Amino acid sequence: MNTKDTEFAVKYKTLNRRGFLKQGAAGLACLLGQNALASEPAQYSLGRGSLGSPHFKPKAKRVINLFMAGGPSQHDMFDYKPKMKEWFGKDLPEEIRNGQRLTGMTSGQDSFPIAPTIYDFQQHGESGAWVSELMPYTAKMVDDLTIIKSMHTEAINHDPAITYIQTGSQQPGHPSMGAWLDYGLGSENTNLPGFVVLHSSWTGRKSAQALFNRLWGSGFLPASHQGVAFQSSGDPILYLTNAKGISSDVRRAMLDGLASMNQQHFERMGDPTIASRIAQYELANRMQTSVPELADITNESKATLDLYGPDVHKPGTFAANCLMARRLAERGVRFTQIFHRGWDQHQNVAADLPNQCRDVDQACYGLITDLKSRGLLEDTIVTWGGEFGRTIYCQGKLTKENYGRDHHPRSFTSWVAGGGFKGGIVHGETDKFGYNITKHPVHIRDLNATILHQLGIDHKRLSVKYQGLDQTLTGVEKSYLIKDIIS
């Protein structure tokens, strides 16, 4: 940190002390998620989170979330049900569906014909995990993965379901996991954002659900904790490069003048968002040096690049973003979110799903292998999954060669690796139709609570008072640690 940055850090602490005097102990306690009656409110300064330190010794320091937006089909990738071949075209028994909620896309169907997968499955690794031919690279690393086949959620449509798993609430306006972690634990690298978002191109279904920036927003937390979305072309971040004719010295003088005016405004108003604004300006200035170095992959070896597959050379692909995620992890970025869209196969599974799997399969393998070889996997949690799964019954026309699948929140598959999660574990089971969970159900809240636990955080104690409730990432409902899958 240079002299100017040090001066700013001191100013930032001063701003918060003045804000404390202006706003009162209760206001600051609400901002920091601390008990308003606590005698020693936590320090909140640049590069340090509101918790000061984790609640207990963590197994992990950071998270890389690989999010398959649209709902990957577990039946065609992980949850193998060989007996379904005998049920081809037969109606799903009513006692299996048992009146469960349907989407508007299949609620009007006269029947719900079973669509067995057309893809071959084999068992892999010491765990004997079943993986389909669509994921040959994932099959090679199953002993590094915790595969959870019993995930479930309540939301049945995309936007509330994605909002729920990302923020802990189906209603917009809540902080995402990355924002909570940046807020609670702070950053390990003051020259990069603590929370980075990467959007990937895809080759499956061309039309895909929109992703709103509130999915990586800070909600009711200070705005400085929202995710910073990198671009796939040009400057990774807009306006990172100085305008023509503006030198670094001129830029520094402009920021100093702006900070002085903002500080005066803060002293009059006591608004903590002003402190967040100043912090973001200063971070942007430091990123002018750190981000170009981050984005330059010319020093990566051919062997490393080959791990991720040929798409790693194409900016904006999932493979390129996975390499970027590893580079962010080794620079101490707390949370990296990679979105990959196009997993909504209501029709044409045979054409679209293989492309989607090809986009991500080798890149995921490359990321896990690369992190492991560098000693980073042991304290980095990598998660893979979508907002829900797909139905075993067909949506639309069913043939021996093709079919579609509707949304299915009752059971789906995700996987986790690193950060103290046990490798070579297959957790949970579903019935012979892959429709209902029969063993070890895992709600999306439970997985989020367990991830926080591995980071040294009690999910019930990282909270902020908002709208009369102690708000947390896991909501006010009961959540459970998945003890069988963590060390």
Side-chain angles (χ1 to χ4, degrees):
M1 187 179 289
N2 61 34
T3 303
K4 289 292 184 181
D5 293 335
T6 304
E7 290 174 357
F8 168 72
V10 173
K11 285 182 182 179
Y12 188 60
K13 291 179 181 179
T14 303
L15 288 173
N16 281 276
R17 288 196 294 271
R18 289 171 180 160
F20 175 77
L21 295 173
K22 290 273 188 181
Q23 301 292 90
L28 184 60
C30 179
L31 173 66
L32 302 184
Q34 306 296 318
N35 187 328
L37 300 179
S39 59
E40 294 288 339
Q43 290 292 318
Y44 182 68
S45 58
L46 188 66
R48 186 178 181 189
S50 65
L51 295 179
S53 61
H55 296 130
F56 40 82
K57 186 177 180 179
K59 296 289 181 66
K61 295 180 179 179
R62 65 196 73 85
V63 178
I64 299 173
N65 180 254
L66 311 175
F67 195 79
M68 310 295 110
S73 173
Q74 73 277 21
H75 300 290
D76 299 289
M77 300 164 69
F78 296 107
D79 200 5
Y80 185 40
K81 302 297 177 184
K83 291 185 178 180
M84 289 298 94
K85 287 183 170 60
E86 303 167 12
W87 281 77
F88 177 84
K90 296 178 182 179
D91 215 33
L92 179 71
E94 178 55 35
E95 64 267 22
I96 299 299
R97 189 168 71 82
N98 197 25
Q100 291 171 18
R101 184 182 177 195
L102 300 172
T103 74
M105 291 163 285
T106 53
S107 60
Q109 288 189 183
D110 295 331
S111 64
F112 301 95
I114 298 295
T117 184
I118 59 175
Y119 300 106
D120 292 331
F121 276 70
Q122 290 185 1
Q123 289 181 286
H124 298 271
E126 294 184 9
S127 65
W130 289 97
V131 182
S132 88
E133 61 182 307
L134 292 176
M135 308 289 280
Y137 284 91
T138 300
K140 294 197 297 184
M141 63 174 181
V142 292
D143 286 338
D144 290 317
L145 308 181
T146 296
I147 299 174
I148 307 172
K149 295 167 63 176
S150 53
M151 295 294 301
H152 66 101
T153 183
E154 288 80 47
I156 200 168
N157 291 312
H158 293 291
D159 188 62
I162 296 177
T163 304
Y164 197 9
I165 197 168
Q166 294 288 325
T167 71
S169 173
Q170 295 186 50
Q171 301 299 318
H174 289 248
S176 59
M177 179 185 280
W180 275 114
L181 291 182
D182 190 53
Y183 166 76
L185 297 178
S187 174
E188 291 185 304
N189 186 336
T190 57
N191 295 324
L192 287 170
F195 177 15
V196 172
V197 180
L198 303 169
H199 293 278
S200 308
S201 57
W202 68 97
T203 61
R205 180 184 174 184
K206 298 306 178 187
S207 59
Q209 293 288 324
L211 297 176
F212 299 99
N213 58 13
R214 55 181 162 77
L215 295 175
W216 53 94
S218 57
F220 43 75
L221 298 178
S224 57
H225 301 297
Q226 66 188 340
V228 176
F230 281 20
Q231 297 191 115
S232 59
S233 61
D235 283 343
I237 300 173
L238 288 174
Y239 312 117
L240 192 64
T241 304
N242 285 334
K244 187 176 181 180
I246 302 295
S247 67
S248 296
D249 289 341
V250 170
R251 174 87 164 198
R252 182 69 260 173
M254 292 167 62
L255 283 174
D256 288 343
L258 189 58
S260 177
M261 290 187 288
N262 276 322
Q263 181 173 348
Q264 293 174 35
H265 187 49
F266 181 88
E267 290 169 355
R268 290 196 303 272
M269 305 299 295
D271 183 355
T273 62
I274 299 172
S276 292
R277 189 183 309 143
I278 297 172
Q280 288 169 315
Y281 287 149
E282 291 293 330
L283 174 60
N285 185 54
R286 294 192 299 276
M287 286 195 299
Q288 286 192 312
T289 299
S290 61
V291 170
E293 183 274 333
L294 167 72
D296 181 8
I297 65 170
T298 56
N299 63 340
E300 297 286 352
S301 70
K302 182 179 184 299
T304 296
L305 295 173
D306 288 345
L307 276 176
Y308 293 84
D311 283 349
V312 75
H313 300 285
K314 302 174 185 176
T317 61
F318 186 81
N321 286 340
C322 281
L323 175 60
M324 179 64 72
R326 189 226 81 205
R327 293 174 66 83
L328 289 164
E330 64 188 352
R331 286 161 176 78
V333 170
R334 185 74 63 189
F335 195 94
T336 301
Q337 174 76 65
I338 302 180
F339 287 107
H340 186 260
R341 298 160 65 196
W343 291 88
D344 195 22
Q345 272 78 50
H346 289 278
Q347 314 288 340
N348 205 20
V349 165
D352 289 343
L353 187 59
N355 288 334
Q356 290 293 109
C357 291
R358 198 176 302 114
D359 285 347
V360 306
D361 182 40
Q362 184 174 354
C364 290
Y365 170 79
L367 175 61
I368 297 297
T369 304
D370 199 6
L371 289 170
K372 190 176 180 180
S373 70
R374 296 168 189 267
L376 287 168
L377 187 60
E378 62 187 33
D379 60 4
T380 302
I381 298 170
V382 183
T383 66
W384 183 100
E387 66 269 36
F388 41 54
R390 314 303 297 191
T391 56
I392 187 64
Y393 61 78
C394 181
Q395 177 181 343
K397 185 179 179 180
L398 171 64
T399 70
K400 288 283 188 180
E401 295 78 29
N402 207 354
Y403 44 86
R405 300 194 188 278
D406 200 6
H407 308 165
H408 189 62
R410 299 290 299 182
S411 64
F412 59 102
T413 299
S414 298
W415 61 251
V416 192
F421 282 87
K422 296 177 182 177
I425 296 290
V426 178
H427 186 79
E429 295 177 7
T430 59
D431 61 24
K432 70 177 182 180
F433 297 94
Y435 203 90
N436 295 300
I437 295 168
T438 58
K439 186 177 181 181
H440 300 320
V442 175
H443 194 275
I444 58 172
R445 291 190 304 268
D446 302 334
L447 181 58
N448 284 345
T450 306
I451 291 170
L452 291 183
H453 178 272
Q454 296 303 92
L455 291 155
I457 297 173
D458 180 341
H459 68 99
K460 299 183 293 294
R461 292 165 61 195
L462 178 58
S463 66
V464 167
K465 273 200 179 301
Y466 179 70
Q467 294 183 337
L469 295 173
D470 290 326
Q471 302 280 2
T472 68
L473 173 66
T474 52
V476 297
E477 299 88 353
K478 186 69 175 176
S479 300
Y480 301 90
L481 292 182
I482 320 167
K483 295 181 180 180
D484 292 344
I485 67 174
I486 56 177
S487 58

